[in-house]
Amino acid sequence: MRHVPHPVAIITSTDPRNGSDSPARGMTVSSFNTVSLSPSPIISFNVRRPSETLAALLLSDRFLVHLLAPNLRTAALARAFSRGNNTRTELEDFEFTQYLSEEGKVPLSLPLLREKEEHAKGSDIPFVLECKVHQQVQVNDHTVVLGQVLHTLGQIAESRRSEADELCLTYADTRFWRMGDQID
């Protein structure tokens, strides 16, 4: 399976427990997938347990999915978040800002990744999905998270053919990739 490319996403959430030193949680997943579009869009991804980010998103019931443009900066960002929970604020070109989700009973502030203004070179994070936990399934040492998409942030491409450099970052064979040439 290591030769099968998968889309890369960074999942962020907030740990709502009182007394938490750093409520922002984040991780890279390469198992992101769509499950259904109707009657509401559902996405999925897998998380190896234990995971502080998984605990945060299950406790808060909300999370953000950041899909990345295919370049060296976003590959470095994805690698930084692949080393377990990442709450670091020393991300060179990126920072956490707060996104206020008002979908639940109580408004919840979620950690939104974005380019720092002084390092902005375009849209390295072309869009973000705000999701709520729809279901979770325990499978051996992993949890499969199913999330209902509530909102999209950023610009979703119009229904047109995309160029390779407009597609999202992928992961295969222990490396990050940009999609290649169209064959059909």
Side-chain angles (χ1 to χ4, degrees):
M1 291 303 293
R2 74 182 222 182
H3 294 286
V4 177
H6 299 279
V8 174
I10 294 177
I11 309 297
T12 60
S13 192
T14 300
D15 188 336
R17 294 176 288 197
N18 290 335
S20 179
D21 291 336
S22 178
R25 300 285 184 251
M27 67 181 166
T28 298
V29 298
S30 62
S31 57
F32 180 78
N33 200 4
T34 58
V35 176
S36 74
L37 294 176
S38 181
S40 64
I42 303 292
I43 54 91
S44 72
F45 57 92
N46 310 329
V47 182
R48 185 174 174 182
R49 294 185 315 270
S51 166
E52 289 184 33
T53 305
L54 176 63
L57 73 89
L58 293 177
L59 285 168
S60 67
D61 196 42
R62 296 284 188 279
F63 58 96
L64 297 176
V65 177
H66 302 77
L67 294 168
L68 309 175
N71 61 53
L72 289 173
R73 287 169 19 115
T74 57
L77 181 67
R79 184 128 356 247
F81 277 90
S82 71
R83 295 183 182 102
N85 179 59
N86 190 330
T87 59
R88 293 180 281 189
T89 55
E90 74 271 5
L91 301 169
E92 186 176 316
D93 296 338
F94 299 89
E95 63 187 353
F96 280 125
T97 60
Q98 295 304 309
Y99 169 76
L100 185 61
S101 171
E102 297 185 19
E103 286 292 322
K105 295 175 186 169
V106 177
L108 176 68
S109 182
L110 293 170
L112 176 66
L113 271 173
R114 71 173 188 176
E115 294 174 273
K116 291 180 181 176
E117 285 187 35
E118 64 270 22
H119 298 285
K121 295 182 179 179
S123 184
D124 279 345
I125 305 173
F127 57 95
V128 177
L129 307 175
E130 179 190 355
C131 301
K132 76 174 187 172
V133 176
H134 177 73
Q135 187 177 354
Q136 60 170 311
V137 179
Q138 308 296 319
V139 181
N140 296 333
D141 64 345
H142 280 66
T143 297
V144 178
V145 176
L146 298 165
Q148 179 182 358
V149 178
L150 301 173
H151 300 287
T152 57
L153 305 147
Q155 295 186 352
I156 303 295
E158 302 285 327
S159 61
R160 62 178 174 85
R161 289 231 184 269
S162 297
E163 299 298 322
D165 62 349
E166 294 175 333
L167 299 174
C168 290
L169 185 67
T170 59
Y171 184 80
D173 197 21
T174 69
R175 294 177 291 208
F176 295 99
W177 297 86
R178 175 184 358 256
M179 294 295 292
D181 296 330
Q182 178 180 338
I183 59 172
D184 184 3

